[in-house]
Amino acid sequence: MTLGKPMSAKVREMNLELNRMETIFQKERLVSAPLMVQLPTGTRCNLRCIFCTDRTPAMAGAYRDLGLEEFIPMAHGLETAATVQLWGWGEPLLNPEYGAIFDYVTANYPGIQINVSTNGTLFDAAWHRRLLAYANFSLNVSVNAATRSTYRLVTGTDLFGRMAANLRGFGRRLRESAGGCSQYSVSFVVVRENLHEIPAFVDLAAEFGAGHVQFMDMMAINPSFGVISAGSEGGRVRELFAEALQRAAMAGISIGTFLPYGEHDYLAMDKYGGGAVAAAEAEEPVALKPCYEPWRNMLVSSDGTASLCCRSGLVTGNLRNDGLEGVWNGDIYRFVRKTVNSADPPDVCRNCPVKLGISS
């Protein structure tokens, strides 16, 4: 049975309050359900970004779309979630059934906030109107360049013009609408090839009508990515970022970052995480910060594999096999809740940007 919108809102509010109390008391087994669930829609993409997995034609068979019938069982349990992220490791709008998935969620879980993350190349006027009509969503567009030439270098495609036209059109329609978009952001993964465009990217975001810019460090998912890492360019990036902050202030745009441009060295993950020296053994260890993601979030991949965040890579179960409750209160989730904020957190948590105070 589908709950009506007022009842759905009440159920979510009750789950939120219960979750807050269980988080405050650091409960290991939860009665409350996840506040945010990321559900997969497929892994295909129409770009070939240099910091992503291999997207050459030879690897096309490794990626696929998720159909509606495959998606529906994974959505069980969304009645209590405040937010669902409808995207995965790829471009969601490339999936011909993405519209049907979107409609299923909005019809069966009325009032839930939907988060969409896209590269913008297929985000046309029809999708602008569809999201604005739903009126409870957030949007991130992964752009990663401020000019056509750098975009071509970073993404391996010449779709900058189409993407830019789509985002300018959305910004215009958003200004003309009555609201409903909690955040419209554009994101930029910093690598050697694009770091010089950090300040100009803020200007481009203003042209697009975005209210937020998110700068991110490259995820080292391939050992060969060291050649494109900006990790050795800390001083230069800090200067560029300082200029970006000034431009953002003038434009009224907020900036978020997974990069430690403040109190820590640039790319502290190189210094504290994943390398030869762990944070606790570093010459200048930082005080680890609290993390609450194990009480709030669940991320699900196309094969049903679940994890608690995008940084640890820690598998917490399989939604297809164990169901939401089986994963949510399974051994791994309970172990992480018990230890993540203790004096002896798991190794994967010691090296996390959240625990290091680099990002929130």
Side-chain angles (χ1 to χ4, degrees), residues 3-15 79 110-111:
L3 298 175
K5 192 171 184 178
M7 183 61 70
S8 295
K10 187 63 176 179
V11 168
R12 292 189 186 101
E13 181 182 344
M14 293 171 62
N15 184 65
E79 294 87 356

Side-chain angles (χ1 to χ4, degrees), residues 1-260:
M1 180 181 70
T2 300
L3 298 175
K5 192 171 184 178
M7 183 61 70
S8 295
K10 187 63 176 179
V11 168
R12 292 189 186 101
E13 181 182 344
M14 293 171 62
N15 184 65
L16 174 61
E17 291 303 318
L18 179 58
N19 185 272
R20 283 173 175 166
M21 294 301 296
E22 291 182 320
T23 302
I24 289 171
F25 289 100
Q26 302 282 276
K27 294 291 186 179
E28 296 172 28
R29 180 180 290 276
L30 304 186
V31 177
S32 63
L35 303 182
M36 189 286 293
V37 180
Q38 179 179 339
L39 291 179
T41 57
T43 53
R44 290 194 307 131
C45 190
N46 57 342
L47 304 185
R48 299 188 300 277
C49 296
I50 59 176
F51 48 76
C52 193
T53 50
D54 188 354
R55 298 282 178 173
T56 58
M59 293 298 295
Y63 305 101
R64 69 183 186 91
D65 296 321
L66 217 71
L68 176 61
E69 293 305 312
E70 193 176 2
F71 173 87
I72 289 174
M74 292 190 182
H76 294 162
L78 286 184
E79 294 87 356
T80 51
T83 302
V84 59
Q85 295 185 347
L86 284 184
W87 50 275
W89 194 260
E91 170 49 45
L93 301 184
L94 195 61
N95 183 349
E97 293 198 42
Y98 188 78
I101 290 172
F102 182 90
D103 290 344
Y104 175 84
V105 171
T106 58
N108 288 274
Y109 306 100
I112 192 170
Q113 184 179 84
I114 296 178
N115 172 259
V116 177
S117 184
T118 171
N119 62 37
T121 59
L122 302 174
F123 186 53
D124 58 16
W127 270 109
H128 301 171
R129 298 186 183 96
R130 201 166 188 168
L131 286 182
L132 290 169
Y134 180 64
N136 186 19
F137 70 97
S138 59
L139 172 72
N140 177 71
V141 185
S142 179
V143 177
N144 307 307
T147 63
R148 179 176 180 175
S149 57
T150 300
Y151 185 88
R152 186 188 301 115
L153 182 64
V154 171
T155 69
T157 67
D158 194 18
L159 296 174
F160 182 83
R162 180 198 296 180
M163 174 275 301
N166 287 340
L167 297 199
R168 289 189 181 96
F170 177 73
R172 183 177 64 256
R173 290 184 176 90
L174 181 61
R175 288 191 298 272
E176 296 169 351
S177 72
C181 180
S182 63
Q183 179 168 280
Y184 168 28
S185 65
V186 290
S187 60
F188 186 104
V189 176
V190 178
V191 290
R192 285 181 181 273
E193 286 75 0
N194 65 7
L195 64 87
H196 62 286
E197 293 190 348
I198 288 175
F201 188 69
V202 174
D203 299 336
L204 185 66
E207 288 183 32
F208 291 161
H212 181 80
V213 171
Q214 186 73 37
F215 289 104
M216 296 181 287
D217 181 21
M218 176 192 69
M219 293 177 64
I221 58 177
N222 188 314
S224 66
F225 284 4
V227 297
I228 62 173
S229 170
S232 63
E233 301 284 344
R236 185 181 179 201
V237 175
R238 274 193 292 273
E239 292 177 3
L240 293 167
F241 188 70
E243 183 179 347
L245 285 173
Q246 293 179 347
R247 297 191 187 190
M250 293 179 62
I253 293 175
S254 63
I255 286 186
T257 177
F258 291 163
L259 305 172

Side-chain angles (χ1 to χ4, degrees), residues 314 335-336 339-342 344-351:
L314 190 64
F335 170 75
V336 176
T339 58
V340 65
N341 295 322
S342 71
D344 186 27
D347 287 343
V348 293
C349 298
R350 290 178 184 272
N351 301 336

Side-chain angles (χ1 to χ4, degrees), residues 308-324:
L308 55 89
C309 71
C310 65
R311 305 173 184 93
S312 70
L314 190 64
V315 174
T316 56
N318 190 288
L319 200 64
R320 295 181 190 274
N321 302 333
D322 308 320
L324 188 143

